[in-house]
Structure formats: structure tokens, C-alpha cells
Amino acid sequence: MAIIVQKYGGSSVADAEKIQNVADRLVRAKEQGNSVVAVVSAMGKTTDGLIELANQVSTRPNRREMDSLLSTGEIVTATLLTMALRSARHRAISLTGAQAGIKTDASFNRARITDISPKRINEELERGRIVIVAGFQGITEAMDVTTLGRGGSDTTAVGLAIALGADRCEIYTDVEGVYTADPRIVPEARKLEGIDYEEMLESASVGAKVMHSRAVELGWVYNMPILVASSFSDNAGTLIHGGASMEIRNKVSGIAHDPNIAKITVVGVPDQPGIASSIFEPLANAGVSVDSIVQNASVNRITDLTFTIASNDVDNTMQIIKPVAESIGAKECVSDSTLGKVSVIGAGMQTGPGYASRMFRALSDEEINVELISTSEIRITCIIDEEKVPQAVRALHKAFELEAE
Ligand code: ASP
Ligand code: MG
């Protein structure tokens, strides 16, 4: 019997009725002759609510306690879903991450899976049960409960699919799949039938929040195909896979955007070895992820260093960076949090010329100023005024003819 792993996100299990809908879908999958494992997220905004509670009782909640607290959200969903199945006389059992054999390292709040021993899951499947696993959590060697970071249930699902030898991992959510651009901004956006792991990762890194990036990475490493589809319809979703076909490699697959970008400039930095590391090391240690970095050519061995971060990291970053700037003799630090970014993504870009100029032309035709540019082999990103982001996405979608099949 084929094993299938299906993951249902928070909005797909937000209330009792939606949990019932998921129960029905699992029964259908089982009745088609599969062994079914479901991974579930916490109901709706439960995780946000728990974090808020923790912040009400403590200014700096202990990280270990935080993980135990947050893990309960997923357990609520798993148990309720199992009860729904059992009351309709279907065989089912819920398992926490620990019971499911998901071992992690001890980095609380962002633990990494070190090993999965699916013995218990396999035993339950053999008994004909649908197995419901609480997502986003695991257990350390020392038996402490950990969580995998926000959005981590996707990673649980892909990890389990790999450990169980499933043919693919199915991620059910409130969108119909991966689109050429956000359909709320571009009504003509098209749902992609397929996208390769690398393109998907690049989209996620620049704001297309369909899935947890670590889950896509894991799928890529183990070549586990991941289907993203809606839990509210039976429409075909988007398959994230490896070995893209010739046709897909030849074009731009989509336009991603992120309206919440801030730019920080350290002005008047002495141009000498070790400066960049003295600025970026403390940020890395504080878990701030830095995106584009630009260092101007220096005049008289003095230069400016500009980098971008997520806008909600600005306060934290300025606090860390100001004393560092002072200690290396820089003039000042300035920030601007009114920026956003737009990116053109496609595996085809690594072989074809002219993509960048086409992007700049489309933006300039809309009189949108480009503040910073960064690229990878399969992506070009421009930092622009936050307010111009929707207009830019629409213009780029058109310029790269993404509405046409
Ligand atoms: N419930 C967790 C979160 O909201 C994990 C997840 O949904 O994947 O981040
Ligand atoms: Mg999610």
C-alpha cells in the first residue's frame, strides 16, 4: 500500500467545521487504498495567541518553556481531528512529535531535525489507522520538547514523507498552489503546474510565503516531490520537483515581492580588512538575516556600507549596529524602512541574456526608482519604494508575458 503524507495548515483547521472537512479528506485518501499520515498545524492564529500570552507573563520568556507551550497548539488540532475520525468510526490515532519519533537538536525555537524513527507510525499504519502527527515539534536527546520555527509543520511533513518512503508529500493550505505572482495583486496571475526546488526556494527567500523554506530545501536534498494545493477544493495544485523540463528552464516562472524591507547604511566606514565581519557577525549572532549588501567603491579609504533586512528587524539591528559603527570609527548609521522588493525568478535566466534590462525598462516605464539591485543565478531583485510594489509587480508580470500560457 502506498504511504501518503498530507499536511494541513492553520487556516485549513481553524474551526470544528474545517477539522471535519480535513477528516473527510483523510478518509477519502484512505478509501482510495493508501496508508495515510496527516501532519497538522495549530488552529488558525493559535500560535500567535500563545506567544502573546507568554509575553504578558514575561518580558523574555524562557526558550525551553516557550517551545513546550507552542507545541500544545498542534497537539490540540491533532487530538480533535483524531476524535472527529473516531466518532465517525474510522480508525485513527494522534501522536505528538516526540511520539512520532522526531528527534531534533537542542536549539529551542528553531530546532533542526536530526533523525526520524518512524517505528510507531509504521506500527499504527499496519493496524489500519490513519496517523495524525502534531507538526512543528520534536524532542531532544534530553527529552525536551522543541519547535522547528514559525511555519515548521511543512518541514515536519516533508521529513516524515522522506522517513516513511512516501511517493510525495502533499501540503494543503488556503491557496490553490504557486502562482506567477500574488493573485491579490495581479488578477491575471496563473497557477503553475510545476516549479523546481531552486526556483521555489528563491521565491520564498524574496517574499512568496507559500511554504517554509526549510521544507523545500529538505525536499530538494532528498528529491521528495511536494504538492501544494488547497484544502478547500479538489483542484490540481502545483508540484515542486527536481529536474525541471527543458520548457520550464527556458522561462521566467514568476514575480515575487515583499513590501517589508528596510535599508541600513553605515556612513563613512574606514575601508580596511575585518570591517564587514565586525558589522555582520553580531547581526548573524542575533539571528538577523541580512539580504542584499552593497559596499561603495571607496574614496580616500572611506566608504559607505548599505544592506537590507526585514523591516521588523530594524530596531533590533540599529541597537546592535550603532555601538559597532562607533567602535570602528564610522560616521553614522541611517535607516529607511519604507522600502519593498520585487524579484523576477526563473531557471531560464542563467542561460538567456536581456532579463535584467527588460526588468529595469519595465520599472522605469512606470517611473519607479531602483534603490538597490541584487541577483542570483536564477533571480533578479530590485529594492524600490514600498508603495510602488504592487504597481511594479503588475508591470513586471506584463513585461515578462506571464499571463499567457
Ligand atoms: N503553528 C506554527 C506557526 O504558526 C507552525 C506551523 O503552522 O507550521 O508558525
Ligand atoms: Mg504555514
Side-chain angles (χ1 to χ4, degrees):
M1 234 192 310
I3 296 182
I4 66 169
V5 176
Q6 301 191 332
K7 180 255 173 179
Y8 290 90
S11 50
S12 301
V13 293
D15 56 35
E17 201 183 317
K18 289 184 175 134
I19 287 178
Q20 191 58 58
N21 169 55
V22 171
D24 296 342
R25 295 178 64 100
L26 295 176
V27 169
R28 256 192 291 151
K30 172 103 191 286
E31 284 171 353
Q32 281 159 12
N34 301 297
S35 289
V36 180
V37 176
V39 173
V40 290
S41 286
M43 296 170 68
K45 303 255 173 255
T46 300
T47 309
D48 293 331
L50 292 172
I51 292 172
E52 208 177 299
L53 272 175
N55 289 330
Q56 281 172 27
V57 298
S58 164
T59 48
R60 286 189 71 212
N62 176 271
R63 294 163 74 95
R64 175 188 182 278
E65 301 310 319
M66 194 66 170
D67 274 5
S68 290
L69 174 68
L70 297 189
S71 72
T72 63
E74 273 58 19
I75 298 173
V76 169
T77 315
T79 49
L80 291 175
L81 178 55
T82 305
M83 288 176 197
L85 286 163
R86 294 183 76 111
S87 71
R89 311 192 136 274
H90 296 288
R91 279 180 283 183
I93 186 168
S94 70
L95 298 175
T96 65
Q99 290 171 327
I102 300 172
K103 315 267 166 51
T104 73
D105 64 16
S107 3
F108 294 111
N109 307 172
R110 47 160 184 254
R112 298 214 156 234
I113 298 175
T114 50
D115 182 39
I116 299 181
S117 339
K119 185 164 167 280
R120 178 70 186 269
I121 296 182
N122 279 323
E123 281 166 13
E124 299 297 349
L125 290 175
E126 265 155 42
R127 298 168 74 176
R129 290 172 160 174
I130 296 174
V131 180
I132 315 291
V133 179
F136 166 63
Q137 56 189 272
I139 193 142
T140 66
E141 197 86 72
M143 305 292 271
D144 288 319
V145 172
T146 51
T147 67
L148 309 182
R150 297 305 306 267
S153 297
D154 292 340
T155 300
T156 304
V158 174
L160 280 176
I162 293 163
L164 292 164
D167 289 338
R168 69 176 186 188
C169 180
E170 302 176 354
I171 305 280
Y172 291 101
T173 172
D174 52 7
V175 295
E176 297 260 333
V178 182
Y179 283 74
T180 50
D182 186 337
R184 287 168 300 187
I185 293 180
V186 186
E188 307 78 48
R190 225 169 8 93
K191 184 168 66 187
L192 296 166
E193 233 171 85
I195 182 170
D196 80 24
Y197 296 113
E198 191 179 10
E199 288 176 318
M200 187 66 195
L201 273 178
E202 287 280 11
S203 327
S205 76
V206 287
K209 291 178 195 65
V210 183
M211 265 189 79
H212 204 217
S213 294
R214 273 172 54 190
V216 181
E217 243 166 55
L218 194 59
W220 190 5
V221 172
Y222 288 89
N223 203 18
M224 171 60 64
I226 304 167
L227 177 79
V228 179
S230 167
S231 67
F232 303 112
S233 78
D234 290 323
N235 299 335
T238 301
L239 191 69
I240 309 169
H241 56 79
S245 67
M246 198 69 166
E247 187 200 15
I248 290 167
R249 290 208 84 84
N250 277 332
K251 44 188 190 193
V252 164
S253 60
I255 312 297
H257 73 281
D258 183 345
N260 301 310
I261 299 297
K263 175 178 88 170
I264 295 195
T265 303
V266 190
V267 184
V269 182
D271 190 5
Q272 52 185 248
I275 291 291
S277 71
S278 62
I279 291 177
F280 294 115
E281 248 165 41
L283 292 179
N285 293 340
V288 174
S289 94
V290 172
D291 199 19
S292 321
I293 302 177
V294 181
Q295 185 183 324
N296 292 340
S298 71
V299 179
N300 297 330
R301 320 223 74 196
I302 300 284
T303 182
D304 293 345
L305 196 85
T306 299
F307 58 91
T308 61
I309 52 176
S311 9
N312 58 7
D313 280 334
V314 168
D315 293 343
N316 192 13
T317 302
M318 285 301 265
Q319 257 180 40
I320 296 170
I321 215 83
K322 272 190 175 149
V324 176
E326 211 163 288
S327 75
I328 60 175
K331 219 168 102 206
E332 59 172 340
C333 287
V334 289
S335 67
D336 176 358
S337 351
T338 63
L339 301 173
K341 60 183 168 185
V342 285
S343 305
V344 174
I345 293 158
M349 297 202 301
Q350 51 194 347
T351 46
Y355 289 94
S357 59
R358 197 151 153 199
M359 179 176 197
F360 304 146
R361 162 65 51 207
L363 294 175
S364 83
D365 285 349
E366 298 287 318
E367 299 192 7
I368 295 171
N369 186 46
V370 177
E371 301 248 354
L372 278 176
I373 301 160
S374 74
T375 62
S376 80
E377 278 192 341
I378 65 162
R379 169 182 61 77
I380 309 166
T381 298
C382 290
I383 307 286
I384 61 172
D385 179 353
E386 173 186 279
E387 282 180 356
K388 299 267 170 72
V389 166
Q391 186 190 347
V393 174
R394 282 189 287 269
L396 293 170
H397 198 267
K398 205 165 189 162
F400 288 96
E401 294 164 357
L402 289 169
E403 73 282 352
E405 180 60 352

